[in-house]
Amino acid sequence: MTTFDRRRFLKLAGATGLASMSTSLPWTAWAADAAVMEKAKAQGQAVFYANITAVEPIMKALKQAQGIEGKYTRISSSKFIPTILTEFNAGKLMADVVQAPLPMLQLLKEQGVLIPHQSEALQGYPEWAVQDDSIIQFGIEYVSYIYNTDHLKAEDAPQRYEDLADPKWKDKIVMANPSNHPSTIGWLIGLKEKVFSSEEQWLDFLKGLAANKPMFVASFGPTPAPIESGEKLIAISMPKYIVTKSPAPLAWGPMSGQPLLGSPRAIALTKNAPHPDAARVFLDYWLGNEAMGILANKVGEYVLAPGVHPPVAGIDQAKVEPIRDLSDEELVRWGREFSRIFAVR
């Protein structure tokens, strides 16, 4: 989940006339047949706006496999929506394909920026990931907790989320600030809705976790460092760091069968794309096992392509579920509540 003011951008869109644009475009089935490939190769490239890291290996593999260059432009979360809306409103959107957290692409769809796409590469994807005609969910930014096996043995590590509230972990946990980090707020609400059997049990967990006085950092990014150094023993964080921080001896939990939760990652084609056929070939390749395998193996991402898993021990047996998008009002309300529970100053 990413911080951005949807209401502000909707007002911007309305003022610029984007909100009135029709999104009722026909559903079109595309496959990389000879005619499409010929046009795609003539166009030569597909421009990709995204805020995901380490996709250069996919761009290289695309070039080798399809003869099309993927031009990757990374745009920060705070600038993603305004950049695309500004370019689109001016009739100068350079992006053929856009990738972002699901809420951002839902906003772009509302403003008429996206078009439908159906791909044969989606065979075997979960039904919930392909229900939208334009926005395809290809992965989950999964969150749980990780620890350093040099400092904490697996048999001594927490086995369930509830165990994080055990007083023995006081002053031994690091996590992103639950009062203002949207992904952490969403994850905690996800635990309430998908893991705990009652709100009372969930609140008891929160109070116990807060009583353990976690160290707060700005985001997930800084969470591995304190457990790598031994300053802390447990990080509420992302298991993908087991891959990106290798050879650091990191492991993940819970190992009791509870689900791992996270925000969906999504991708889509843009309306009036400068390179429309290359864009479709790009997207079909992106969704296939080869590209998703690169993302899983190189970056540790949890992807939805069937049978593709990151090289993280036991993750192929884990149940990974998407959490719902919280409204701006919910983020503010729960951020304030978590600030009170965790005594964030």
Side-chain angles (χ1 to χ4, degrees):
M1 195 168 299
T2 307
T3 303
F4 67 102
D5 189 336
R6 280 167 282 195
R7 289 165 295 183
R8 177 184 173 191
F9 291 126
L10 285 171
K11 290 178 181 178
L12 171 65
T16 55
L18 287 177
S20 63
M21 291 187 177
S22 172
T23 58
S24 57
L25 296 174
W27 181 283
T28 305
W30 286 84
D33 58 24
V36 172
M37 281 303 306
E38 184 177 354
K39 292 178 182 178
K41 289 181 178 180
Q43 292 162 11
Q45 64 179 14
V47 178
F48 182 45
Y49 282 9
N51 57 8
I52 189 172
T53 58
V55 298
E56 290 82 1
I58 297 180
M59 304 299 103
K60 182 178 179 180
L62 171 71
K63 179 70 173 179
Q64 293 175 340
Q66 306 288 26
I68 296 168
E69 184 175 3
K71 301 285 287 187
Y72 172 44
T73 299
R74 188 180 183 194
I75 303 177
S76 67
S77 298
S78 62
K79 296 179 180 179
F80 193 84
I81 297 295
T83 297
I84 291 175
L85 289 182
T86 299
E87 290 186 9
F88 184 76
N89 182 45
K92 297 180 179 180
L93 180 58
M94 299 301 295
D96 301 298
V97 184
V98 289
Q99 180 278 318
L102 180 60
M104 289 189 174
L105 293 197
Q106 289 173 331
L107 175 58
L108 292 180
K109 182 180 179 179
E110 290 174 10
Q111 307 314 311
V113 179
L114 308 181
I115 62 170
H117 180 69
Q118 188 178 40
S119 173
E120 293 182 1
L122 292 173
Q123 293 181 9
Y125 273 62
E127 184 177 348
W128 59 262
V130 297
Q131 289 179 337
D132 192 288
D133 64 351
S134 302
I135 302 171
I136 301 165
Q137 299 175 57
F138 66 88
I140 298 176
E141 194 174 15
Y142 58 147
V143 178
S144 61
Y145 52 89
I146 59 176
Y147 58 94
N148 187 319
T149 56
D150 280 350
H151 303 136
L152 181 63
K153 295 179 180 179
E155 57 268 27
D156 297 328
Q159 299 300 303
R160 305 175 304 156
Y161 292 116
E162 294 92 321
D163 296 339
L164 296 172
D166 191 314
K168 72 180 181 180
W169 304 119
K170 186 173 183 179
D171 296 321
K172 297 177 182 178
I173 298 174
V174 57
M175 64 184 293
N177 191 327
S179 71
N180 58 21
H181 184 242
S183 293
T184 296
I185 295 172
W187 180 74
L188 290 172
I189 297 301
L191 291 179
K192 178 171 78 79
E193 296 178 348
K194 290 178 173 285
V195 173
F196 287 88
S197 58
S198 70
E199 185 159 347
E200 182 180 8
Q201 290 180 352
W202 175 69
L203 287 172
D204 286 342
F205 162 74
L206 290 181
K207 293 173 184 177
L209 178 60
N212 281 337
K213 303 295 182 184
M215 181 176 78
F216 298 135
V217 292
S219 65
F220 290 137
T223 56
I227 61 170
E228 287 182 271
S229 67
E231 178 186 0
K232 302 294 179 182
L233 293 182
I234 301 165
I236 295 176
S237 186
M238 303 169 71
K240 74 174 187 179
Y241 292 129
I242 295 172
V243 176
T244 60
K245 297 293 183 178
S246 179
L250 303 180
W252 65 278
M255 288 296 180
S256 59
Q258 291 176 311
L260 278 65
L261 309 176
S263 301
R265 291 190 179 277
I267 194 167
L269 299 178
T270 63
K271 184 180 181 182
N272 301 325
H275 314 96
D277 298 286
R280 286 166 170 81
V281 172
F282 177 104
L283 184 51
D284 287 344
Y285 182 78
W286 177 275
L287 297 169
N289 281 22
E290 184 173 347
M292 289 297 93
I294 293 172
L295 201 58
N297 285 289
K298 298 291 186 182
V299 193
E301 295 284 351
Y302 188 88
V303 298
L304 301 179
V308 180
H309 298 95
V312 174
I315 207 70
D316 58 329
Q317 301 299 317
K319 185 177 182 181
V320 182
E321 299 182 2
I323 56 175
R324 68 180 179 88
D325 173 38
L326 299 182
S327 68
D328 294 330
E329 290 78 10
E330 287 178 298
L331 285 173
V332 171
R333 175 166 60 88
W334 283 113
R336 288 173 178 167
E337 181 65 12
F338 294 153
S339 177
R340 182 189 66 80
I341 292 173
F342 286 87
V344 179
R345 294 183 178 86

